[in-house]
Amino acid sequence: ELAIYVKEKQEVRKWQDYSFKFVVAADKPFCKCKINLKKIVKGDEHPELVDTDFDVSLRTLRDEEIEEWKATLDHHHHYTHVVLGTEKTGRQKRKDRAPYLVRY
């Protein structure tokens, strides 16, 4: 079972660079190349997912880092494979103001 953890609401201040982190975790190996960030835009009939031009870096956590991260959770899971994603947008532009989805 794969889980994605990201802070539900991100605060962005005008004129400041912005970045956020998310985690994708599972109890078995997975391909981090399938992790992506999509922008949710208004479509003709329903919302659509479009690619972003943000700089997203992905790093697989080591065992000791996984244990440190799991200690921050409210509940206990036996995740053995964890990828930390860091997204850097720099200064937010008006066109960037939208909901986003981290997906696998």
Side-chain angles (χ1 to χ4, degrees):
E1 180 180 321
L2 189 100
I4 297 174
Y5 293 86
V6 63
K7 186 176 173 184
E8 190 172 324
K9 184 175 180 181
Q10 304 289 328
E11 300 279 334
V12 181
R13 297 206 192 304
K14 193 174 185 179
W15 310 116
Q16 290 186 350
D17 287 351
Y18 179 70
S19 70
F20 74 90
K21 294 182 180 184
F22 59 89
V23 170
V24 179
D27 56 359
K28 58 185 175 186
F30 60 91
C31 181
K32 70 181 181 182
C33 67
K34 293 183 180 181
I35 299 170
N36 54 62
L37 179 69
K38 297 288 186 178
K39 181 177 180 179
I40 302 171
V41 298
K42 189 175 187 178
D44 292 336
E45 296 181 26
H46 50 78
E48 296 177 8
L49 299 177
V50 297
D51 293 332
T52 69
D53 57 357
F54 298 147
D55 179 21
V56 178
S57 64
L58 301 172
R59 183 174 70 84
T60 302
L61 299 185
R62 297 182 312 271
D63 290 343
E64 53 276 0
E65 292 174 306
I66 293 172
E67 292 307 314
E68 288 174 18
W69 172 74
K70 286 193 314 188
T72 67
L73 299 177
D74 300 1
H75 46 284
H76 183 70
H77 284 284
H78 296 284
Y79 297 128
T80 54
H81 297 80
V82 177
V83 171
L84 171 67
T86 304
E87 179 276 337
K88 295 180 181 175
T89 62
R91 291 240 167 98
Q92 289 286 299
K93 299 176 187 88
R94 190 170 200 70
K95 69 177 183 69
D96 296 328
R97 293 184 191 160
Y100 291 86
L101 176 71
V102 177
R103 71 179 204 163
Y104 181 83

